[in-house]
Amino acid sequence: MRLDEFLKLNVSEDLAQITTTIAQSCITVWENIPFKSGLLADVNPSGERQKAIDVFSNDVFADALVGTGLVREVASEEMEEAAAGKGRVSVAMDPLDGSSNVETNNPLGSIFGMYSEPLPCSGRNLVGALYVTYGNSITITLSFGKGVHRFAAVRKGPEMSFELLGLDLKIPEKPQVYGVGGARKDWIPPVRDFVDSFEGRGMRVRYCGTFVGDYNQVLSRGGIFAYPALVGKPAGKLRVLYETAPIGYINEQAGGYATDGTKSILDISPRSLSETSPAYLGSAPLLHELERLVSAG
Ligand code: AHG
Ligand code: MN
Ligand code: MN
């Protein structure tokens, strides 16, 4: 089944068109990744130096999404203010996740949250979310509140289209892999002690430095991805609106749990577009155990 056929049967017309617009645009982004790895002078709202591909992907997605006439606004990790549109869906995006990995050809991604309310707002207002992986294949993993489904890009003549790869994906409860961002020396003590227990449980480290790439394997293998609270940086690094709420929504739809250490990430009401939080996502039993440890301090 093609992506557009699936969408026609399962989601409202505006969400369907927003999703197919992202699917068409991500091919343009993917083709340009190797040639736009240069570092620019500019910094994004999180104070991070931008790469040419960060800005290029931002402009490709934002222009295409506003051009649908179906989005209220497009907010992005790469823009101070949201781009205004007209429509009932607010889109928040990380147009290129993991851009520090462009030169090494590590997995990269794009993340999109589709919110029913104006931004910023909590993840409980998500009506859909998807992430793109640019790896050995280009895949779109998505949910609109009725399970998690995956499509892969295939070439049909001069065009690329997305074909169904898997329906109703579920995260294994038995954890096999773990990946934790930041420097070990900076992890808060409960996290460091918890991570030290993993190998004894037969878990293996799988970490590539891109949230999308690291989470994607947790969804398949069971386990945990974390970008934790750090000593000296208690709010962690990952942005709620653009990164952890959309993927936390997908993770919850797959039967997992996503927490900031004290509550579901979907219950965070960010006060600003680029607000960050500690982020721990993966198999529910392991994440509830982590929450007990972090809450106990
Ligand atoms: P982005 O490239 O969109 O800024 O995201 C990078 C993030 C995330 O993808 C990854 O998990 C994390 O940065 C890695 O951070 P460190 O390099 O500090 O480990
Ligand atoms: Mn990112
Ligand atoms: Mn990014």
Side-chain angles (χ1 to χ4, degrees):
M1 179 187 287
R2 283 200 327 266
L3 175 60
D4 54 320
E5 292 166 333
F6 170 87
L7 293 169
K8 200 167 176 165
L9 291 172
N10 291 284
V11 304
S12 61
E13 258 184 58
D14 52 356
L15 291 179
Q17 193 174 332
I18 288 167
T19 304
T20 49
T21 298
I22 292 168
Q24 288 154 1
S25 304
C26 75
I27 301 298
T28 305
V29 169
W30 169 68
E31 288 167 338
N32 282 274
I33 287 172
F35 309 105
K36 291 182 167 46
S37 61
L39 204 53
L40 303 176
D42 310 318
V43 294
N44 69 11
S46 301
E48 299 158 340
R49 285 285 296 277
Q50 291 177 314
K51 286 197 168 169
I53 192 63
D54 288 319
V55 174
F56 176 81
S57 57
N58 178 78
D59 296 352
V60 167
F61 286 125
D63 293 352
L65 285 165
V66 170
T68 63
L70 296 170
V71 300
R72 177 185 297 113
E73 59 194 321
V74 179
S76 164
E77 177 188 282
E78 304 303 339
M79 297 192 294
E80 282 295 341
E81 305 294 330
K86 49 181 191 301
R88 70 178 184 94
V89 179
S90 290
V91 177
M93 67 178 181
D94 177 357
L96 207 288
D97 176 58
S99 47
S100 60
N101 287 319
V102 172
E103 296 86 344
T104 50
N105 199 19
N106 276 34
L108 300 171
S110 299
I111 309 168
F112 296 84
M114 300 170 209
Y115 295 84
S116 59
E117 299 307 313
L119 303 174
C121 67
S122 97
R124 293 298 175 198
N125 297 297
L126 280 162
V127 290
L130 71 87
Y131 64 86
V132 183
T133 61
Y134 307 101
N136 53 39
S137 53
I138 303 174
T139 64
I140 290 180
T141 304
L142 55 72
S143 180
F144 295 96
K146 296 190 187 110
V148 177
H149 317 294
R150 178 169 290 153
F151 296 81
V154 293
R155 182 171 293 288
K156 292 249 162 102
E159 296 300 317
M160 300 280 274
S161 68
F162 280 87
E163 296 288 340
L164 181 65
L165 197 57
L167 278 175
D168 205 20
L169 306 182
K170 289 295 178 197
I171 186 168
E173 288 220 341
K174 185 177 178 327
Q176 291 187 55
V177 295
Y178 68 94
V180 185
R184 177 190 164 78
K185 66 177 177 49
D186 299 331
W187 299 343
I188 55 173
V191 169
R192 196 189 49 230
D193 298 344
F194 192 48
V195 175
D196 284 348
S197 76
F198 290 165
E199 305 256 329
R201 308 178 193 213
M203 292 169 66
R204 291 289 176 270
V205 66
R206 290 291 182 272
Y207 185 72
C208 73
T210 296
F211 176 30
V212 166
D214 288 320
Y215 172 73
N216 197 53
Q217 57 195 331
V218 168
L219 176 55
S220 297
R221 307 278 299 276
I224 180 172
F225 168 82
Y227 202 104
L230 303 177
V231 175
K233 199 174 178 187
K237 171 181 183 181
L238 298 185
R239 287 130 298 215
V240 176
L241 219 50
Y242 309 125
E243 294 172 302
T244 57
I247 293 194
Y249 172 85
I250 289 170
N251 184 60
E252 186 174 282
Q253 282 289 317
Y257 182 54
T259 175
D260 66 357
T262 60
K263 63 181 176 304
S264 169
I265 283 178
L266 299 181
D267 289 326
I268 298 174
S269 292
R271 290 171 304 278
S272 73
L273 294 176
S274 51
E275 183 172 311
T276 65
S277 90
Y280 312 90
L281 306 87
S283 303
L286 193 67
L287 272 291
H288 286 299
E289 184 185 349
L290 170 117
E291 206 169 61
R292 287 192 295 275
L293 291 169
V294 170
S295 299

